[in-house]
């Protein structure tokens, strides 16, 4: 049995991060691999000191919010404990990690924004430089940006060329790799799309929600007035109420973990979101949805554009939605066929990479 380590962004606060980690694990396990996600610390001693001070200040100045965030994190940790095989040891990305080659046959970096310079500390670790070259696999990593700085460009060119089995999650990522290295990287779907709806519903967990139909909002960025007016117009037209996932003022909405996230989307009448994984799960669970450009972070919209283009769902963009004309009606037949094609493509990539 092949021993495979997953390298991704570790954290217990983001739905997409936890769910893509679980999905990649399950996909690799289905191919007969023994899979472990390695936990890593990206912080230097100086960083840790700053984090400690920041937490201390928040505890003193806003203890209620701090406690709510801590309780929310417990739910994310609980999901990881129940569904993701993670290393007990926490490694540091600045350490010599070459000894891990004795423990694993392959290292898979991805998916998520592991190649976003603002998240990976411009560290070669996220390009698997510690691993023997023939053990390196990149499964659908995201850059999260459309352009790289000059310093990142030089480093990324070298690091990416050291990965024999290479893929990305967005069209923009494929363009960046082509510009940097001349290589053609296949655009593969996010790991969450590799698992069927039934598999996701098995890990979903019910939580308190409106008794009647509800419009679910899930925004990672600011919700400007124009979006609020649009959302309110939908609720008036469809006769549903709003449930804001992640609203710190509402206990159930804020404390919801990854399992509840799936359940909230599965039971809603329509989802309004600026989140990539929000859109992904609306497609997987076949729910009506509207996607809004994230304010202050337009560069991240490329991954949603790739998703909507791939599934021919551009009518779900905010600017294209006709509120009074079949908003809740989506034919997912085409999406189902595309998902099957993309799954086959992705699994073939993984099989080939794992059989070296």
């Amino acid at each position: 049995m092949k021993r495979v380590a997953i390298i991704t962004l570790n954290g217990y606060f983001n739905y997409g991060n936890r769910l893509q980690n679980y999905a990649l694990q399950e996909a690799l396990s289905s191919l007969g691999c023994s899979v472990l996600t390695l936990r890593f610390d990206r912080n230097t001693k100086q960083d840790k000191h700053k984090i400690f001070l920041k937490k201390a200040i928040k505890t003193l100045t806003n203890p209620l919010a701090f406690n709510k965030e801590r309780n929310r994190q417990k739910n994310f940790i609980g999901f990881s404990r129940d569904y993701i095989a993670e290393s007990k040891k926490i490694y540091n990305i600045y350490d010599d990690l070459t000894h891990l080659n004795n423990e694993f046959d392959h290292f898979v970096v991805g998916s998520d924004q592991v190649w976003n310079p603002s998240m990976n500390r411009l560290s070669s670790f996220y390009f698997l430089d510690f691993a023997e070259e023939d053990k390196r696999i990149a499964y659908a990593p995201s850059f999260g940006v459309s352009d790289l700085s000059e310093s990142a460009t030089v480093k990324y060119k070298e690091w990416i060329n050291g990965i024999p089995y290479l893929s990305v999650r967005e069209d923009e990522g494929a363009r960046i790799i082509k510009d940097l290295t001349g290589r053609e990287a296949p655009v593969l779907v996010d790991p969450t799309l590799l698992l069927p709806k039934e598999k996701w519903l098995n890990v979903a967990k019910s939580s308190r929600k409106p008794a009647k139909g509800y419009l679910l909002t899930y925004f990672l960025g600011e919700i400007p007035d124009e979006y609020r007016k649009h959302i309110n117009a939908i609720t008036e037209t469809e006769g549903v109420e709003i449930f804001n996932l992640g609203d710190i003022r509402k206990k159930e909405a804020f404390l919801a973990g990854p399992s509840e996230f799936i359940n909230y989307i599965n039971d809603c009448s329509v989802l309004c979101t600026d989140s990539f994984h929000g859109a992904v799960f609306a497609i997987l669970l076949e729910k009506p949805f509207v996607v809004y450009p994230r304010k202050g972070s337009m560069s991240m919209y490329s991954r949603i554009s790739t998703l909507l283009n791939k599934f021919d769902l551009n009518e779900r963009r905010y600017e294209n939605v006709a509120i009074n004309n079949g908003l809740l009606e989506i034919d997912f037949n085409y999406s189902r066929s595309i998902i099957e094609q993309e799954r086959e493509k992705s699994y073939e990539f993984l099989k080939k990479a794992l059989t070296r």
Side-chain angles (χ1 to χ4, degrees):
M1 179 178 289
K2 292 287 184 79
R3 300 165 300 168
V4 179
I6 292 176
I7 310 299
T8 190
L9 297 174
N10 305 124
Y12 302 107
F13 55 87
N14 183 278
Y15 295 118
N17 172 271
R18 293 293 82 205
L19 295 170
Q20 65 83 23
N21 192 167
Y22 166 72
L24 184 56
Q25 169 190 279
E26 295 302 289
L28 291 167
S29 296
S30 73
L31 296 176
C33 299
S34 172
V35 187
L36 185 69
T37 293
L38 302 185
R39 293 194 296 161
F40 289 93
D41 186 353
R42 292 177 288 168
N43 300 310
T44 62
K45 289 183 179 180
Q46 186 177 12
D47 292 330
K48 291 176 182 178
H49 181 65
K50 291 179 180 178
I51 292 170
F52 174 79
L53 288 177
K54 187 176 180 180
K55 285 185 177 179
I57 292 170
K58 191 164 189 176
T59 304
L60 293 172
T61 58
N62 197 344
L64 183 60
F66 178 80
N67 286 329
K68 284 183 177 179
E69 289 176 2
R70 185 174 57 181
N71 289 332
R72 183 176 188 270
Q73 186 182 65
K74 287 180 180 178
N75 289 332
F76 280 73
I77 292 173
F79 174 86
S80 301
R81 181 191 60 240
D82 294 341
Y83 296 109
I84 301 175
E86 294 184 298
S87 65
K88 292 182 180 178
K89 181 175 181 178
I90 299 177
Y91 303 89
N92 192 285
I93 65 173
Y94 304 104
D95 292 341
D96 179 2
L97 300 170
T98 54
H99 63 90
L100 291 173
N101 286 282
N102 299 323
E103 302 177 34
F104 298 97
D105 300 300
H106 298 281
F107 297 87
V108 181
V109 62
S111 176
D112 217 345
Q113 296 182 54
V114 289
W115 288 354
N116 186 326
S118 67
M119 297 185 183
N120 64 20
R121 304 297 177 90
L122 274 183
S123 171
S124 58
F125 163 77
Y126 289 99
F127 297 82
L128 307 177
D129 73 319
F130 63 89
E132 296 168 8
E133 190 164 312
D134 64 350
K135 294 185 176 184
R136 303 173 188 173
I137 302 169
Y139 182 81
S142 173
F143 286 84
V145 295
S146 300
D147 297 291
L148 298 173
S149 67
E150 186 175 342
S151 60
T153 296
V154 174
K155 293 176 179 178
Y156 274 40
K157 180 177 181 179
E158 176 187 351
W159 296 339
I160 289 172
N161 268 326
I163 302 175
Y165 275 86
L166 182 65
S167 67
V168 285
R169 197 172 68 181
E170 296 96 30
D171 296 331
E172 276 294 297
R175 179 192 61 77
I176 290 173
I177 289 175
K178 177 69 173 178
D179 292 344
L180 287 178
T181 68
R183 297 173 65 183
E184 299 283 350
V187 178
L188 302 180
V189 291
D190 186 82
T192 50
L193 285 160
L194 298 181
L195 306 186
K197 176 180 179 179
E198 295 72 24
K199 179 87 171 179
W200 287 116
L201 293 181
N202 285 339
V203 301
K205 185 185 295 183
S206 183
S207 186
R208 290 181 61 185
K209 55 178 71 75
K212 64 175 186 177
Y214 61 94
L215 179 153
L216 182 68
T217 70
Y218 176 54
F219 283 81
L220 296 175
E222 175 193 351
I223 308 179
D225 288 341
E226 61 182 297
Y227 292 2
R228 293 186 187 280
K229 290 177 181 178
H230 190 259
I231 291 168
N232 288 334
I234 295 174
T235 62
E236 292 174 7
T237 300
E238 303 299 338
V240 294
E241 61 181 284
I242 297 176
F243 188 89
N244 298 312
L245 190 60
D247 186 348
I248 197 169
R249 298 167 298 181
K250 305 289 185 180
K251 182 178 179 180
E252 295 80 13
F254 187 71
L255 298 183
S259 291
E260 289 84 3
F261 172 81
I262 298 168
N263 186 257
Y264 276 121
I265 294 178
N266 189 57
D267 284 352
C268 76
S269 298
V270 58
L271 170 68
C272 293
T273 187
D274 65 353
S275 159
F276 170 79
H277 281 104
V280 164
F281 276 91
I283 295 171
L284 275 168
L285 302 174
E286 300 189 352
K287 306 299 295 188
F289 67 101
V290 181
V291 173
Y292 300 76
R294 190 180 307 172
K295 291 299 182 179
S297 189
M298 287 301 295
S299 62
M300 292 189 181
Y301 199 51
S302 65
R303 51 189 178 149
I304 294 181
S305 293
T306 296
L307 181 75
L308 297 179
N309 288 335
K310 190 181 294 290
F311 290 99
D312 194 23
L313 289 170
N314 281 300
E315 76 274 9
R316 293 288 115 185
R317 296 177 187 266
Y318 155 66
E319 61 271 23
N320 297 335
V321 167
I323 293 176
N324 296 307
N325 186 23
L327 173 68
L328 303 188
E329 299 173 8
I330 304 181
D331 184 353
F332 283 103
N333 284 322
Y334 180 74
S335 296
R336 290 189 205 113
S337 65
I338 294 300
I339 287 176
E340 288 305 315
Q341 293 172 27
E342 292 297 328
R343 282 177 183 158
E344 183 177 353
K345 177 182 174 182
S346 296
Y347 275 111
E348 283 303 312
F349 171 88
L350 288 172
K351 287 176 186 177
K352 187 175 180 181
L354 294 167
T355 53
R356 295 197 310 278

